[in-house]
Each structure stands twice: as structure tokens, then as C-alpha cells.
Amino acid sequence: QYVGYDETAADCWAIRAAVRQGWLTRRGMQQVCRSVYSSAGTSVHLPGPARCRAMMRCYRSATTKRAQTRKRSRKRARRSRRR
């Protein structure tokens, strides 16, 4: 267990890891949302629509962070080539 017993945090951890590894796309997130959307929720999972919204927030945050990291890496690479 990486995040304890919070399933929403666990979903977010998995999404961030998948984005960092480069294999989770927006289309993939849409498929995930379709698969959970109709669920009623449980004692540990949010109802489908709320779970989907939470996961999409994590995805947007992770992709924004990844884009910023890549941009910084490209800047560093350009600077080192100039030297």
C-alpha cells in the first residue's frame, strides 16, 4: 500500500504513476471513466460520476506537471548545448 486506505488517493497515485510512465492518455482516462461511471459507489469508493471527476482532476494535474517538467528539461538541454 502506497497511500493507506484512501481509495481516492490510491486512484490518484495510480494515475500520476501512469502519466509519469507515459502510457496513460486522455483517451485512456475517458475509457476508465466510462468503466466506473455507472457504479453506485461503495464504502470505500465514490459513486461513479464523482470518482470520474476526481480521477480527471488527478489526470489534469499530472499531465500539467509532466508538461512543465518536460519543458524545464528541454530548456536545460538547450543551455548545456550552448556551453
Side-chain angles (χ1 to χ4, degrees):
Q1 282 181 298
Y2 296 102
V3 292
Y5 294 102
D6 182 343
E7 288 296 322
T8 301
D11 285 344
C12 199
W13 178 88
I15 289 164
R16 285 192 309 266
V19 167
R20 196 171 40 251
Q21 293 166 9
W23 59 266
L24 183 60
T25 63
R26 181 157 182 81
R27 188 173 187 187
M29 269 309 306
Q30 290 167 342
Q31 291 172 329
V32 169
C33 276
R34 276 195 301 274
S35 74
V36 301
Y37 202 82
S38 62
S39 68
T42 65
S43 61
V44 293
H45 286 108
L46 295 170
R51 189 175 181 194
C52 177
R53 284 191 300 275
M55 289 190 295
M56 288 303 285
R57 275 193 302 273
C58 286
Y59 178 78
R60 282 191 298 273
S61 173
T63 55
T64 299
K65 185 175 182 177
R66 185 167 192 243
Q68 291 169 345
T69 301
R70 292 173 105 186
K71 188 175 181 179
R72 281 193 297 269
S73 295
R74 285 194 299 268
K75 281 183 179 180
R76 276 190 227 114
R78 275 184 286 197
R79 273 189 249 132
S80 67
R81 284 193 298 253
R82 286 187 224 156
R83 293 178 187 174

